Amino acid sequence: MGKILLTGTMRCAQNEIEDVLSMMAKHIRLSQAEAGCLTFELWQDDLDPRTFHVSEVFRSEAAFEAHQERTRTSDWGRVTSHMARDFQKVQA
């Protein structure tokens, strides 16, 4: 099995921007510390502050699924789970 690459965007409402920003550093730090995480980047769009870009690479499908499970049960997951996402996931 190969690496899992996920890229795309997450979009929040105008009144949710500060909530996302306040949790972002912790979410990045925890994600990067996960076993099997090769890269994890998350940043706010320069032109549209409601849009956040994500680029992540995990060693395997199992590592990616472990990340998804941790995220679902985290504060980040609780606050952002309803937000629109446009992600592309590929196996390399």
Side-chain angles (χ1 to χ4, degrees):
M1 296 185 96
K3 297 174 186 172
I4 301 298
L5 294 77
L6 183 122
T7 59
T9 58
M10 179 184 80
R11 188 168 171 87
C12 68
Q14 185 71 32
N15 65 331
E16 297 173 311
I17 293 171
E18 289 306 315
D19 290 338
V20 174
L21 290 173
S22 72
M23 303 179 113
M24 216 163 89
K26 181 179 180 182
H27 180 58
I28 292 168
R29 187 178 69 254
L30 291 174
S31 297
Q32 290 174 340
E34 293 174 8
C37 178
L38 301 176
T39 64
F40 187 92
E41 298 177 2
L42 175 64
W43 67 97
Q44 187 178 30
D45 190 271
D46 290 334
L47 300 176
D48 180 0
R50 297 175 299 157
T51 298
F52 294 83
H53 299 271
V54 65
S55 176
E56 47 190 73
V57 180
F58 286 86
R59 188 175 313 280
S60 65
E61 181 71 32
F64 176 77
E65 288 304 323
H67 166 70
Q68 293 300 306
E69 181 59 31
R70 184 200 60 79
T71 299
R72 275 191 288 278
T73 61
S74 71
D75 290 338
W76 175 265
R78 180 182 50 76
V79 169
T80 68
S81 64
H82 70 283
M83 294 176 186
R85 288 168 164 78
D86 181 17
F87 291 161
Q88 295 79 45
K89 176 184 160 192
V90 297
Q91 186 169 5

